[in-house]
Amino acid sequence: MRPTLFEKIALGLSGLTALIIGASILFAPHAFYAGYDITLGEDANLLSELRAPGAGLAGFGLLMLLGIWRHAILPVAVAVALTVFIAFPVGRLVGLAVDGVPSGSVIGALAVELIIAALCLAAFRRRLWQSAPDLSMAQPTR
């Protein structure tokens, strides 16, 4: 099934957001986290632990964007968009409950993530209730 315009907008916004944030963390972690009033220092272990999920987030962003044009991977793009933009706010809400209230910029990021999650849920709501397609590649032998 081809994506609707609303689904393309949701995938475009979520994909572009994930790609930009992920690439920023991957290639400029000091500058990215300074925007959240976090000073990283030069600990190679910490920087590696931040760059790795940044690369993953950028890759997920590319998958979301690719789902706009490659209809065969649209179900994967939808699943990735929903997973990323529901999991990030859940993690931040756990942090709020366990660690206390973070800076205003982190709360702002939470708000953006919740908005994108709501947009994705609204855009993909009819797909969420459809039965999953048969993903098996194997053909039965006779």
Side-chain angles (χ1 to χ4, degrees):
M1 178 188 322
R2 299 175 59 88
T4 66
L5 178 60
F6 189 29
E7 290 173 328
K8 287 179 181 181
I9 291 168
L11 282 174
L13 181 63
S14 60
L16 198 57
T17 301
L19 177 60
I20 290 170
I21 291 171
S24 296
I25 294 168
L26 177 61
F27 295 113
H30 291 91
F32 178 82
Y33 285 102
Y36 292 101
D37 298 324
I38 299 170
T39 304
L40 293 181
E42 297 302 322
D43 183 344
N45 294 322
L46 174 61
L47 292 171
S48 178
E49 286 297 307
L50 294 172
R51 289 181 198 271
L57 186 58
F60 285 148
L62 286 173
L63 267 175
M64 293 174 217
L65 291 170
L66 195 57
I68 295 170
W69 297 283
R70 301 292 297 244
H71 302 141
I73 69 155
L74 180 61
V76 172
V78 168
V80 167
L82 288 167
T83 301
V84 167
F85 286 101
I86 291 173
F88 269 77
V90 166
R92 291 194 196 275
L93 291 171
V94 168
L96 266 166
V98 174
D99 305 321
V101 179
S103 70
S105 54
V106 174
I107 297 297
L110 170 61
V112 169
E113 292 159 357
L114 287 169
I115 290 167
I116 294 174
L119 175 70
C120 287
L121 285 168
F124 307 131
R125 68 188 178 282
R126 65 186 176 94
R127 290 185 191 273
L128 294 175
W129 299 108
Q130 292 176 345
S131 61
D134 181 17
L135 299 177
S136 130
M137 301 286 286
Q139 298 294 321
T141 57
R142 294 183 196 245

